[in-house]
Amino acid sequence: MTKRLRATVIFYNEETQQVQLCTVHRDEIKGAIDRQIARGSVMNLPLGSDDPTAPLTDETLRQIGGMAVLNQASVHPELRDRLQISLQYPVDWAPAKPPTD
């Protein structure tokens, strides 16, 4: 029997004002994942090394978590106001402009 692949979903719950996380079977959200890949909206996260077997450090995992929350804050202004973080560059929260040909 083949083990079903899983995905972790992080989202901001406006009602509870919490960042929430759940794990789902990938086949249940395959269409959504495929659409985001086709749009070029999937981000590969650096794991701290070019070696695919290298350990994942505390700092690497903090950065990945931070990227996930910043991604949610990009569409939830009420979450932005709660961020008390240091970034290398300031965030421009203005909507992205579509590419021009």
Side-chain angles (χ1 to χ4, degrees):
M1 181 162 160
T2 303
K3 185 176 176 181
R4 289 175 75 189
L5 300 175
R6 295 181 177 261
T8 299
V9 177
I10 184 170
F11 58 97
Y12 180 70
N13 183 325
E14 297 86 349
E15 192 173 303
T16 63
Q17 297 184 6
Q18 294 178 320
V19 175
Q20 297 184 313
L21 178 137
C22 64
T23 299
V24 298
H25 291 109
R26 284 192 358 205
D27 58 355
E28 293 175 354
I29 60 169
K30 183 180 182 335
I33 292 171
D34 290 347
R35 281 189 300 279
Q36 294 308 312
I37 290 171
R39 291 178 182 143
S41 297
V42 173
M43 180 182 356
N44 290 322
L45 301 178
L47 297 179
S49 172
D50 290 336
D51 177 2
T53 63
L56 299 175
T57 64
D58 289 341
E59 182 58 25
T60 300
L61 295 177
R62 273 193 286 278
Q63 290 174 5
I64 291 170
M67 284 186 267
V69 173
L70 284 170
N71 197 299
Q72 286 298 296
S74 71
V75 294
H76 296 285
E78 67 277 19
L79 185 55
R80 291 178 212 161
D81 296 337
R82 297 171 56 191
L83 298 177
Q84 295 183 10
I85 57 175
S86 299
L87 299 171
Q88 185 173 359
Y89 302 102
V91 176
D92 178 1
W93 296 111
K97 295 180 179 145
T100 58
D101 292 331

